[in-house]
Amino acid sequence: MRRFSFQDKLNLLSKLTLRRAWNGLFVLASYYSSKYTGRPVQWGLPVSISIEPTTSYNLRCPECPSGLRSFTRDTGMLQNDFFRKTIDQLHRDLFYLVFYFQGEPYLNPAFLEMVRYASQKKIYTATSTNAHYLTEDNARRTIESGLDRLIISIDGTTQEVYEQYRVGGQLQKVLDGAARVVKWKKELRSKTPFIVFQLLVVRPNEHQIEEARELAHRIGVDDIWFKTAQIYDYANDPHQLIPTRQSYSRYRSTPQGNQFKGQLANHCWRLWHDPVITWNGLVAPCCFDKDAQYKMGDLQQQSFVEIWRSEPYQQFRAKILKGRKQIDICSNCSEGTRVWGD
């Protein structure tokens, strides 16, 4: 679910063109038609896309494929020329672009150049970072790139707690990097990016929620969000990460073990508006397909439109409409049925 402040909403609306609005209506209509008839149709192009700057990652987070170095797919860096070719195909209809899938975006040397290119196309741009590379130069260049939203993972208010999930990380680097971005945003008198602290609520840090709010206020970021954690082996929870505070957990404890709270209705908004593109051009159906095992196509060999309207994509949408619980990447997903912007 994406959240917006008043200023952020105004900025988002400034990216809207007649063509993008028309496309969005087509996408929405095709989603609801598919949902209620059980027959997949796709009348528009994506409203939003996530693109992967890199699979490289500097930390060892226990529930992160990048951190665990557990990919079975190829790893590498998104190339600037390939990124530009992709955006050139999509920018007239594309409204929202997330520079994140796996990995740490700032490890790609061309990352901020790519942000600038998308910003010049009047696309709303967002990224998520662990903030270890927000040096003075990168903080300034982040503001100058035109990035619209910067999500900074905080995940603890003390080093002892922070490093229990962000293994190998240094909390002080995160705070210093965030402070630099706040400073340059003020110095350059920029209204963007909308700077967010995001705390992934896990058992080690759930007692620090109020402290995290105070820390966000002290650093001067625009907002703080609290996100529930996806645990792959939630039945056993081997790292003891599921929080005891039920309002911050995707799971509930039962005599039979931990169970997922989600309902998993047989439809998914993401399949109609929000695909993922990996660093090397594979198109995956959504951000829960971390290993791109459900490859819809390859942008090195096909155009995006061909992939988006291809038989494999339509078959996957049909499979979702018939039985979402039977698809492994859906079994632990809490977001698929929400409509974009809710």
Side-chain angles (χ1 to χ4, degrees):
M1 180 173 62
R2 298 185 174 102
R3 285 165 282 185
F4 304 88
S5 71
F6 179 72
Q7 183 60 50
D8 198 30
K9 285 179 181 177
L10 290 179
N11 180 36
L12 180 75
L13 289 173
S14 73
K15 315 294 183 181
L16 191 62
T17 64
L18 183 60
R19 175 165 174 161
R20 288 173 181 168
W22 191 247
N23 176 67
L25 289 173
F26 269 109
V27 172
L28 197 63
S30 63
Y31 166 67
Y32 279 112
S33 175
S34 302
K35 174 182 174 180
Y36 292 121
T37 65
R39 298 173 59 188
V41 293
Q42 181 53 262
W43 294 321
L45 290 170
V47 175
S48 172
I49 281 179
S50 296
I51 195 161
E52 182 177 58
T54 181
T55 51
S56 298
Y57 197 57
N58 54 310
L59 305 182
R60 295 275 182 171
C61 309
E63 292 291 329
C64 168
S66 296
L68 296 172
R69 279 62 167 173
S70 62
F71 291 117
T72 59
R73 62 182 170 96
D74 292 339
T75 57
M77 297 272 183
L78 177 65
Q79 298 301 303
N80 202 354
D81 57 346
F82 171 71
F83 170 76
R84 290 183 177 223
K85 288 177 183 177
T86 302
I87 292 304
D88 287 347
Q89 291 182 53
L90 298 168
H91 73 92
R92 293 179 183 84
D93 300 288
L94 187 61
F95 189 40
Y96 195 112
L97 179 60
V98 179
F99 283 92
Y100 183 74
F101 181 34
Q102 297 297 296
E104 167 51 50
Y106 281 86
L107 283 171
N108 187 322
F111 166 57
L112 291 174
E113 294 175 31
M114 291 186 276
V115 172
R116 182 186 292 274
Y117 189 75
S119 296
Q120 289 170 347
K121 300 289 187 181
K122 304 298 183 185
I123 302 168
Y124 186 99
T125 55
T127 196
S128 179
T129 177
N130 62 46
H132 280 62
Y133 299 95
L134 288 176
T135 60
E136 201 72 42
D137 183 56
N138 276 343
R140 176 183 53 80
R141 291 176 60 227
T142 296
I143 307 303
E144 293 173 341
S145 72
L147 182 72
D148 294 294
R149 175 175 294 193
L150 179 66
I151 300 172
I152 297 173
S153 297
I154 188 77
D155 300 341
T157 62
T158 61
Q159 177 63 26
E160 179 185 11
V161 169
Y162 173 80
E163 67 185 0
Q164 289 185 59
Y165 187 80
R166 298 290 169 181
V167 179
Q170 297 180 42
L171 178 61
Q172 195 57 51
K173 278 192 173 183
V174 179
L175 301 180
D176 290 345
R180 291 185 190 109
V181 176
V182 170
K183 180 193 75 172
W184 277 108
K185 183 179 175 181
K186 290 177 181 176
E187 288 195 12
L188 295 174
R189 297 181 180 180
S190 177
K191 294 182 179 179
T192 57
F194 180 61
I195 307 168
V196 180
F197 270 177
Q198 180 169 272
L199 189 141
L200 187 70
V201 181
V202 288
R203 192 173 302 179
N205 68 22
E206 63 180 329
H207 66 287
Q208 294 187 332
I209 287 174
E210 290 307 318
E211 293 176 20
R213 286 195 176 99
E214 294 171 6
L215 184 59
H217 179 73
R218 187 164 75 245
I219 295 294
V221 299
D222 297 307
D223 203 354
I224 182 167
W225 299 344
F226 300 98
K227 183 179 179 181
T228 60
Q230 179 189 22
I231 310 298
Y232 288 97
D233 184 10
Y234 58 81
N236 299 303
D237 190 20
H239 302 290
Q240 296 296 292
L241 294 174
I242 296 177
T244 60
R245 299 175 68 169
Q246 285 296 297
S247 58
Y248 292 102
S249 177
R250 299 186 189 190
Y251 315 97
R252 57 174 169 265
S253 178
T254 73
Q256 291 75 40
N258 297 313
Q259 294 182 352
F260 180 58
K261 291 179 179 178
Q263 298 301 311
L264 294 183
N266 293 334
H267 51 91
C268 179
W269 172 227
R270 287 185 182 275
L271 265 293
W272 274 259
H273 90 287
D274 189 20
V276 167
I277 300 173
T278 67
W279 69 273
N280 58 342
L282 303 182
V283 177
C286 79
C287 61
F288 278 79
D289 189 6
K290 312 294 187 187
D291 232 350
Q293 60 178 311
Y294 295 98
K295 186 179 79 170
M296 300 292 105
D298 187 342
L299 284 170
Q300 305 283 5
Q301 300 173 9
Q302 304 164 270
S303 72
F304 184 87
V305 172
E306 288 175 326
I307 295 170
W308 187 241
R309 294 175 177 159
S310 68
E311 188 61 27
Y313 226 133
Q314 285 296 83
Q315 288 176 354
F316 193 80
R317 293 183 183 110
K319 193 174 181 180
I320 288 281
L321 294 170
K322 288 179 181 177
R324 191 161 164 242
K325 290 182 180 179
Q326 308 308 313
I327 303 173
D328 55 355
I329 62 170
C330 299
S331 63
N332 201 2
C333 170
S334 60
E335 300 187 32
T337 59
R338 292 182 181 139
V339 174
W340 188 86
D342 282 359

